[in-house]
Amino acid sequence: MTGGLRRIETRGEALYLNGERLYVRGVLDQGYWPESGLTAPDDAALVRDLDLARELGFSLVRKHLKAEEPRWLDHADRIGMLVWAEPPGPSRFSPAAAAAFEAQLPGLVRRDGNHPSIVIWGLYNEEWGLDWDIPGSAERAAAATRAYDLLRALDDTRPIVENSGWAHVKTDLVDWHYYDESPRRWAETVAALASGERESFEVRLRPDFLVDKSFYGSASFPRSGVPVLNSEYGAGFTSLERAWHVRWQTQEIRRHDRFCGYVYTELTDVEHEMAGLLDAHRRPKDWGGLDPADAFAETTLVVDLVPAHAGADLPVPAGPLTLDVHISHTGRAPIEGTLRAGWGAPGSRELPSVAVSLAAQAKPFRLSEAFPLTVPAPGGPARLHLWLETDGEPTARTFVDAAVVEELNRRGARD
């Protein structure tokens, strides 16, 4: 077995890895290949997915509902990629199904428990195998609790999530899955979940069936003192829309210091799910000039703006434009540098040579104050590049597109 030492623990609402504060920057990976299904076509393909995740800016992979090949875990150990591991789950509830689910756990821990890369164990997912009704069924809630207790008896070194997504009854992490196409509704809901004003959110189980799901599956679960993190999000019908949502949705999670991380969904397309940053053959998509590693970096910029549409975050300003920009920094030490802003061509990636500047700084795990940056009117459609420069190099960067804002013509679209 692979040997290694590390300590992962919770302290109040924070996660710590080897005694240092940890912010999870994760991606969901289902470990599927179009040529060979759930079996990697070769060793190189198996480990390449971890390298791709790291290149895209992630520090953790949530291997979804699959006990992955030990070779993959060996590579994660070597390169320092963190792993959220979980077994496959049943689809519907019965005592026999719950027993079969639990029967996997001793072998899973025996085979994989010595991999230091694994920092979180997951169990059930979104009440699959529990008939989507933990709050309304004592028997199903007891099954989730029993699975937690069994895994905890097998391994007391890692946080455990008993039912990923919502309806928690016994867990070390309150994780939540939330999908929304509206930037304004996304920002408002995420803010309300962070503050505790709300603990529920809409989940679309079918195109015509919306339900409210809560962080908590029982009234007795503590409403504070347990780390809270997102473990599934993402939106967009096209690859360009998805890249747009990557920027704006991720920044809204980073805006709120209560959250200890996120898991973007997902790394690659899988059969009918076209939600990947990469297609099923691991090829990059059209990200509209975005480098995803900028959005998922240790240090990012948070802009006080609710964007209008992909490709047109705001109308072309007729006069000077002022935007408030914050720094979200999850490194070990405070950071300071120069915030810069300048217009470039629409869709451009290169940073402009002419820019306005402002000294800025941020403390770890605390959103900085707002730094106002004022730029002149661009004179037409343009991309406003925003970046933090330290030691002469861009440490964090994002952009805002100014263009004609057209009304959506998609049938049934909502704000």
Side-chain angles (χ1 to χ4, degrees):
M1 300 180 79
T2 300
L5 295 175
R6 62 99 187 91
R7 179 178 178 83
I8 178 75
E9 59 186 318
T10 64
R11 301 180 190 174
E13 294 193 348
L15 278 167
Y16 282 80
L17 179 65
N18 295 333
E20 296 183 349
R21 186 86 175 264
L22 171 66
Y23 189 87
V24 171
R25 308 188 327 269
V27 65
L28 186 138
D29 173 19
Q30 301 194 55
Y32 182 90
W33 289 265
E35 303 90 349
S36 53
L38 293 173
T39 301
D42 52 45
D43 281 357
L46 185 71
V47 301
R48 176 58 176 153
D49 280 1
L50 284 165
D51 294 328
L52 288 169
R54 185 170 59 174
E55 292 166 9
L56 290 167
F58 299 107
S59 61
L60 176 143
V61 174
R62 180 185 174 199
K63 182 60 71 166
H64 194 38
L65 298 170
K66 182 188 182 189
E68 190 54 276
E69 289 276 355
R71 289 169 295 175
W72 184 85
L73 290 166
D74 286 339
H75 191 57
D77 295 339
R78 287 195 301 271
I79 70 172
M81 179 64 77
L82 304 177
V83 174
W84 174 327
E86 58 194 32
S91 59
R92 298 301 302 270
F93 176 77
S94 71
F101 179 73
E102 295 161 17
Q104 305 174 89
L105 303 181
L108 179 66
V109 174
R110 184 168 55 251
R111 192 194 75 165
D112 297 341
N114 202 38
H115 285 282
S117 54
I118 297 178
V119 294
I120 298 170
W121 288 121
L123 287 165
Y124 288 99
N125 177 74
E126 294 181 354
E127 298 173 281
W128 301 355
L130 300 169
D131 290 350
W132 306 279
D133 194 23
I134 282 179
S137 168
E139 186 180 20
R140 288 157 178 78
T145 298
R146 190 170 59 248
Y148 174 95
D149 289 340
L150 174 58
L151 187 51
R152 173 56 66 229
L154 293 165
D155 182 2
D156 64 356
T157 70
R158 297 171 171 94
I160 296 169
V161 178
E162 94 291 29
N163 174 54
S164 184
W166 53 70
H168 293 291
V169 288
K170 192 170 187 179
T171 186
D172 300 315
L173 304 175
V174 173
D175 75 326
W176 48 284
H177 301 176
Y178 177 47
Y179 297 93
D180 200 321
E181 299 290 334
S182 164
R184 182 174 299 279
R185 193 167 52 243
W186 169 268
E188 292 173 349
T189 300
V190 169
L193 294 174
S195 69
E197 176 187 347
R198 289 182 57 180
E199 57 188 44
S200 65
F201 44 92
E202 285 186 344
V203 173
R204 188 177 295 278
L205 296 181
R206 293 196 305 266
D208 59 344
F209 184 33
L210 278 172
V211 298
D212 286 330
K213 289 292 186 179
S214 172
F215 279 178
Y216 312 108
S218 72
S220 63
F221 193 95
R223 265 49 179 178
S224 62
V226 181
V228 181
L229 77 161
N230 175 281
S231 56
E232 284 190 30
Y233 76 102
F237 290 91
T238 67
S239 57
L240 284 172
E241 283 181 331
R242 291 203 71 84
W244 180 64
H245 283 292
V246 162
R247 281 190 295 130
W248 294 107
Q249 292 195 347
T250 307
Q251 80 149 34
E252 292 307 314
I253 296 176
R254 294 291 293 258
R255 184 185 295 277
H256 302 288
D257 297 335
R258 184 187 186 192
F259 300 136
C260 60
Y262 57 78
V263 177
Y264 181 76
T265 305
E266 56 195 311
L267 180 65
T268 70
D269 293 346
V270 179
E271 293 188 333
H272 66 286
E273 293 185 8
M274 308 304 288
L277 291 167
L278 309 171
D279 70 15
H281 296 278
R282 281 53 177 174
R283 296 173 297 204
K285 296 183 179 180
D286 185 351
W287 297 320
L290 172 72
D291 181 347
D294 292 336
F296 301 127
E298 179 179 86
T299 306
T300 61
L301 302 182
V302 176
V303 184
D304 288 350
L305 174 70
V306 176
H309 301 304
D313 297 318
L314 48 72
V316 177
L321 171 69
T322 299
L323 287 175
D324 283 343
V325 181
H326 308 258
I327 302 169
S328 172
H329 175 59
T330 58
R332 298 178 180 179
I335 190 170
E336 60 181 36
T338 304
L339 268 177
R340 301 190 186 279
W343 293 105
S348 60
R349 173 68 186 165
E350 300 77 17
L351 295 177
S353 57
V354 179
V356 299
S357 302
L358 186 67
Q361 58 284 320
K363 296 179 179 179
F365 301 95
R366 184 177 302 174
L367 189 73
S368 77
E369 63 181 296
F371 298 103
L373 289 170
T374 301
V375 293
R383 171 165 289 177
L384 178 62
H385 293 274
L386 303 159
W387 70 100
L388 174 68
E389 191 173 287
T390 58
D391 299 325
E393 296 294 331
T395 300
R397 56 188 289 177
T398 188
F399 57 84
V400 174
D401 287 324
V404 176
V405 177
E406 299 179 355
E407 292 301 316
L408 288 175
N409 62 6
R410 186 179 295 126
R411 182 177 299 174
R414 298 189 300 165
D415 253 348

